[in-house]
């Protein structure tokens, strides 16, 4: 489409063919094989699962050896400053345990504490304030701080334990799901304590893992009917299979894509009940009046015939010193999760793909637990957790523990997937990957220096239509767009780029589509990521990104001769159980 013969398809900004356009034309398989010295010794051909309903106008990507026949483009990806994008100090935030320890130590008063009864009454002016102001002040406290204040005196005890305070803390962790009752608990405070410290699961709601190369994506929500925190796998299927030649260019095939996204409710991945083992023990034993910290929690999941035991584990993020040197490595990036392509505040040591051979040993698991299990609240991450599964043969006390698997889950900062007026394509998307099926992506539009500019305002003599056109070209059509796989496949795994458009502005602009079904869409240069099975010999090839709307994109894989679609996923529709 970038060559002169396809000028009837894209209405370009100039009739003169640039050197970039001329060099981007699709090479013939024969010439490409001759120019690629690395493929001369490649003799085997592994075939992926073929989808007979679709076809390709160019090279068939489902044939493994064809990966070497497609013309590549430079794969250098700029090193982005994720600290500004997440609005945090990365150096401090990665080193969470040390930071919190320093903060708590500095905040302690080393002088001897005076008995409360010996202090004059005028030294506690807080109690002289109206009740409404005291409640307003306490509303700024965290749950742990609120619990500490409740131990000061009877007046503050009553204010700190009020239903209003604890209802606010519960609802702040349930975005999109405003429950009306603390059922099955008797109070909002009791409900909060029952699921503490696991409320971060529902607060961040989106989680993706390092299981195998394909990964898995789950949505965690709260079910007020049962009082449990539950997580289910997010799956997508194609409602319509097949492809058809593009009327404007018979050598290009358009793949049909009408996805259906839903939760796999038959098999929960995560389930934390209000009547957990610790809560039952606490209710029956006076010696456990105070809540103890446990980094590992058994989960009672009803999976039918699944014989595996399942535990939930809190995780300890890696320090800056440990991450230094690992993040620059090639895949698998030192088994750091999430990988470098995914912007994240916390990262941990993940597990090799599949069931680790040494992980079947209980002694191995216990010997490495100190490396990634937190010992107290200050070391626990609220953005990463693990799920451990295993099987046992024989009686519980004498049985054989084997086939253990530890899967690491990470979340995304809402900034990354919340669209704005100037970054309208940010979000969670689902894409069509032919024989691999549907896969979930993060469409990220990183911030840059230009984002600090003053807001664009409408001029006095400017119409609304003219202002919107100027806003598009000055604030929307600019910067980088990157698609990162949250779930992957055997070729390009989870956590890796699937395609990248370096510039949505003039430097990347190729033209405006004028042929159905893409008429009016802006077309920009991009590069698609391909690889052999097992993410071997990965490379970037020429592609073009079609900006159809803020909720739908199309990617033209030039060498393969086909166009695939991507659609935005509304995660909030899954947060309230039906």
């Amino acid at each position: 489409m970038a060559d002169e013969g396809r000028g009837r398809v894209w209405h370009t900004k100039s009739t003169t063919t640039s050197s970039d356009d001329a060099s981007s034309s699709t090479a013939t398989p024969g010439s490409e094989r001759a120019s690629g010295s690395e493929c001369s010794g490649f003799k085997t051909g592994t075939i992926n699962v073929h989808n007979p309903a679709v076809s390709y106008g160019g090279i068939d990507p489902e044939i493994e050896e064809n990966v070497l026949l497609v013309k590549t483009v430079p794969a250098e990806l700029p090193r982005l400053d994720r600290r500004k994008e997440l609005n945090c100090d990365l150096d401090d935030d990665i080193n969470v345990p040390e930071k919190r320890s320093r903060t708590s130590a500095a905040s302690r008063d080393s002088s001897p504490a005076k008995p409360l009864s010996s202090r004059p009454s005028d030294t506690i002016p807080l109690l002289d304030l109206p009740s409404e102001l005291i409640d307003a002040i306490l509303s700024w406290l965290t749950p742990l701080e609120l619990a500490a204040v409740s131990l000061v005196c009877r007046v503050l005890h009553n204010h700190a334990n009020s239903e209003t305070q604890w209802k606010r803390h519960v609802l702040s962790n349930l975005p999109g799901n405003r429950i009306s009752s603390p059922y099955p608990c008797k109070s909002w405070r009791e409900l909060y304590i029952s699921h503490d410290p696991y409320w971060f699961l529902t607060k961040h709601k989106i989680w993706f893992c390092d299981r195998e190369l394909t990964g898995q994506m789950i949505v965690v929500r709260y079910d007020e009917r049962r009082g449990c925190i539950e997580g289910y796998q997010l799956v997508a299927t194609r409602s319509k299979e097949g492809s058809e030649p593009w009327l404007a260019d018979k050598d290009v095939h358009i793949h049909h894509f009408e996805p259906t996204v839903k939760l796999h409710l038959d098999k929960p991945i995560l389930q934390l009940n209000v009547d957990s083992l610790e809560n039952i023990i606490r209710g029956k034993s006076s010696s456990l009046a105070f809540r103890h910290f446990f980094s590992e929690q058994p989960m009672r999941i009803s999976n039918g015939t699944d014989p595996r035991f399942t535990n939930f584990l809190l995780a300890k993020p890696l320090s800056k010193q440990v991450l230094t040197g690992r993040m620059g490595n090639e895949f698998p990036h030192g088994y750091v999760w999430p990988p470098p392509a995914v912007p994240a505040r916390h990262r941990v040591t993940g597990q090799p793909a599949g069931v680790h051979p040494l992980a079947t040993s209980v002694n191995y698991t216990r010997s490495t637990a100190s490396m990634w299990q937190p010992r107290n609240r200050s070391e626990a991450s609220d953005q990463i957790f693990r799920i451990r599964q295993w099987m046992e043969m024989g009686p519980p006390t004498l049985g054989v523990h084997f086939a253990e698997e530890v899967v690491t889950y990470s979340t995304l900062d809402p900034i990354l997937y919340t669209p704005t007026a100037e970054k309208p394509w940010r979000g969670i998307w689902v894409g069509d990957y032919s024989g691999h099926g549907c896969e979930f992506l993060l469409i990220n539009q990183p911030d840059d220096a230009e984002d600090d500019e003053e807001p664009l305002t409408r001029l006095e003599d400017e119409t609304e239509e003219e202002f919107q056109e100027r806003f598009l070209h000055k604030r929307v059509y600019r910067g980088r767009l990157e698609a990162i796989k949250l779930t992957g496949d055997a070729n390009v795994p989870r956590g890796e780029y699937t395609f990248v458009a370096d510039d949505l502005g003039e430097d990347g602009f190729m033209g405006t589509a004028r042929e159905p079904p893409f008429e009016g869409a802006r077309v920009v240069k991009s590069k698609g990521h391909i690889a052999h099975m097992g993410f071997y010999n990965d490379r970037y090839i020429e592609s073009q990104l079609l900006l159809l709307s803020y909720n739908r994109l199309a990617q033209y894989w030039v060498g393969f001769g086909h166009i695939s679609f991507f659609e935005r996923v509304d995660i909030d529709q899954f947060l309230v159980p039906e």
Side-chain angles (χ1 to χ4, degrees):
M1 288 185 184
D3 56 17
E4 184 178 357
R6 293 172 186 168
R8 57 185 173 82
V9 178
W10 301 152
H11 176 67
T12 58
K13 57 184 176 182
S14 172
T15 56
T16 304
T17 304
S18 65
S19 59
D20 290 340
D21 292 340
S23 64
S24 64
S25 58
T26 306
T28 61
S31 62
E32 189 63 32
R33 181 180 292 119
S35 63
S37 60
E38 70 274 13
C39 67
S40 58
F42 189 79
K43 298 181 181 179
T44 61
T46 304
I47 300 178
N48 289 327
V49 178
H50 176 61
N51 185 356
V54 299
S55 57
Y56 305 87
I59 299 174
D60 188 350
E62 295 186 11
I63 300 178
E64 183 88 1
E65 59 188 353
N66 286 349
V67 171
L68 296 175
L69 305 182
V70 187
K71 185 176 181 179
T72 61
V73 295
E76 290 80 8
L77 297 173
R79 185 176 296 276
L80 301 174
D81 188 357
R82 301 297 191 188
R83 292 174 293 183
K84 178 181 177 182
E85 183 174 335
L86 296 180
N87 193 26
C88 69
D89 187 338
L90 185 60
D91 295 346
D92 288 341
D93 207 6
I94 282 182
N95 212 3
V96 171
E98 289 79 358
K99 177 185 177 183
R100 292 181 179 174
S101 298
R102 291 195 301 267
T103 303
S104 60
S107 64
R108 294 194 189 100
D109 186 1
S110 58
S111 60
K114 297 180 180 180
L116 185 61
S117 59
S118 65
R119 299 183 181 182
S121 59
D122 57 357
T123 61
I124 313 178
L126 178 64
L127 301 181
D128 298 330
L129 295 176
S131 177
E132 294 80 4
L133 289 182
I134 295 178
D135 289 336
I137 294 173
L138 296 186
S139 67
W140 291 89
L141 301 183
T142 65
L144 290 180
E145 293 169 341
L146 202 60
V149 167
S150 69
L151 302 177
V152 174
C153 64
R154 290 183 179 180
V155 175
L156 291 181
H157 175 85
N158 294 332
H159 282 282
N161 289 342
S162 68
E163 286 289 87
T164 302
Q165 298 289 353
W166 291 98
K167 179 180 181 180
R168 176 176 54 83
H169 283 300
V170 171
L171 295 182
S172 67
N173 291 288
L174 301 178
N177 183 15
R178 292 190 62 84
I179 61 176
S180 58
S181 166
Y183 178 85
C185 297
K186 297 180 181 179
S187 67
W188 291 99
R189 181 175 179 273
E190 181 183 344
L191 175 59
Y192 187 91
I193 294 175
S194 297
H195 288 302
D196 178 68
Y198 308 117
W199 286 109
F200 68 90
L201 297 170
T202 56
K203 181 177 181 179
H204 294 296
K205 63 191 177 184
I206 301 172
W207 301 86
F208 58 102
C209 75
D210 62 348
R211 188 174 190 177
E212 302 288 350
L213 296 178
T214 57
Q216 190 178 62
M217 184 172 174
I218 67 174
V219 174
V220 179
R221 62 188 187 181
Y222 177 76
D223 188 349
E224 66 174 326
R225 300 169 300 180
R226 298 178 293 150
C228 72
I229 294 175
E230 56 186 14
Y232 294 97
Q233 181 182 0
L234 191 67
V235 296
T237 57
R238 288 181 291 238
S239 303
K240 183 179 180 181
E241 296 278 356
S243 62
E244 61 183 14
W246 189 17
L247 296 179
D249 191 338
K250 299 294 184 180
D251 293 333
V252 178
H253 288 215
I254 302 175
H255 290 191
H256 302 309
F257 190 54
E258 298 176 3
T260 299
V261 181
K262 60 182 180 180
L263 296 179
H264 184 38
L265 298 176
D266 294 337
K267 186 178 181 181
I269 305 298
L270 178 151
Q271 184 173 319
L272 296 171
N273 300 311
V274 71
D275 58 341
S276 63
L277 179 61
E278 183 191 356
N279 290 335
I280 294 175
I281 296 176
R282 288 179 67 250
K284 295 182 178 181
S285 174
S286 58
S287 62
L288 289 178
F290 294 97
R291 190 173 186 86
H292 293 258
F293 177 81
F294 296 101
S295 62
E296 188 162 353
Q297 168 91 332
M299 292 192 294
R300 294 183 288 113
I301 299 179
S302 300
N303 278 344
T305 58
D306 192 342
R308 293 179 295 179
F309 294 85
T310 306
N311 280 8
F312 177 91
L313 292 82
L314 295 170
K316 180 172 66 176
L318 295 175
S319 64
K320 177 184 175 182
Q321 292 77 11
V322 176
L323 282 176
T324 302
R326 280 197 183 187
M327 297 295 289
N329 294 342
E330 298 296 327
F331 181 83
H333 313 292
Y335 297 113
V336 170
W337 185 258
V342 181
R345 289 192 175 100
H346 295 175
R347 302 183 195 274
V348 299
T349 300
Q351 292 286 329
V355 179
H356 194 282
L358 294 178
T360 58
S361 168
V362 178
N363 293 331
Y364 167 79
T365 304
R366 290 174 178 172
S367 65
T368 59
S370 60
M371 298 170 53
W372 46 265
Q373 277 192 293
R375 294 166 296 180
N376 50 57
R377 278 179 176 267
S378 65
E379 291 185 347
S381 171
D382 63 348
Q383 299 176 38
I384 297 177
F385 69 88
R386 291 183 170 91
I387 291 181
R388 184 205 305 274
Q389 291 186 314
W390 73 95
M391 291 190 291
E392 291 186 0
M393 295 183 63
T397 55
L398 302 175
V400 178
H401 183 110
F402 71 103
E404 178 171 295
E405 179 185 33
V406 178
V407 180
T408 305
Y409 286 83
S410 178
T411 189
L412 298 168
D413 192 290
I415 295 175
L416 300 174
Y417 58 83
T418 302
T420 65
E422 298 183 357
K423 306 288 184 181
W425 287 284
R426 282 178 174 172
I428 306 298
W429 293 64
V430 60
D432 177 25
Y433 286 87
S434 189
H436 293 302
C438 301
E439 299 178 19
F440 293 101
L441 321 170
L442 167 68
I443 298 292
N444 183 32
Q445 293 183 264
D447 292 326
D448 49 40
E450 296 179 349
D451 293 325
D452 295 331
E453 299 174 352
E454 294 294 327
L456 202 65
T457 58
R458 179 178 170 180
L459 303 177
E460 293 183 0
D461 58 344
E462 190 176 35
T463 65
E464 182 64 24
E465 291 76 12
E466 292 172 340
F467 171 71
Q468 292 298 334
E469 184 70 17
R470 184 164 64 94
F471 183 83
L472 282 174
H473 286 85
K474 286 184 175 291
R475 296 300 171 86
V476 177
Y477 295 147
R478 68 175 186 179
R480 172 185 171 92
L481 184 148
E482 53 190 29
I484 307 168
K485 287 192 173 186
L486 300 180
T487 61
D489 52 61
N491 293 87
V492 179
R494 72 289 181 276
E496 299 292 332
Y497 293 108
T498 179
F499 63 83
V500 174
D502 290 321
D503 186 17
L504 301 181
E506 289 301 310
D507 291 342
F509 179 65
M510 298 193 66
T512 302
R514 57 182 182 181
E515 297 288 341
F518 311 114
E519 58 267 56
R522 184 181 181 88
V523 184
V524 297
K525 298 177 183 178
S526 64
K527 48 192 175 185
H529 202 180
I530 63 174
H532 285 108
M533 296 280 287
F535 199 46
Y536 165 73
N537 196 21
D538 69 300
R539 55 184 59 196
Y540 285 86
I541 65 172
E542 178 194 356
S543 61
Q544 298 170 14
L545 183 62
L546 288 73
L547 307 178
L548 304 180
S549 71
Y550 295 154
N551 296 320
R552 190 171 172 89
L553 299 172
Q555 171 82 343
Y556 170 39
W557 305 81
V558 176
F560 296 145
H562 83 275
I563 298 177
S564 56
F565 290 97
F566 302 84
E567 284 196 2
R568 183 186 301 275
V569 177
D570 180 17
I571 297 296
D572 290 345
Q573 65 178 309
F574 305 111
L575 298 181
V576 181
E578 297 179 357

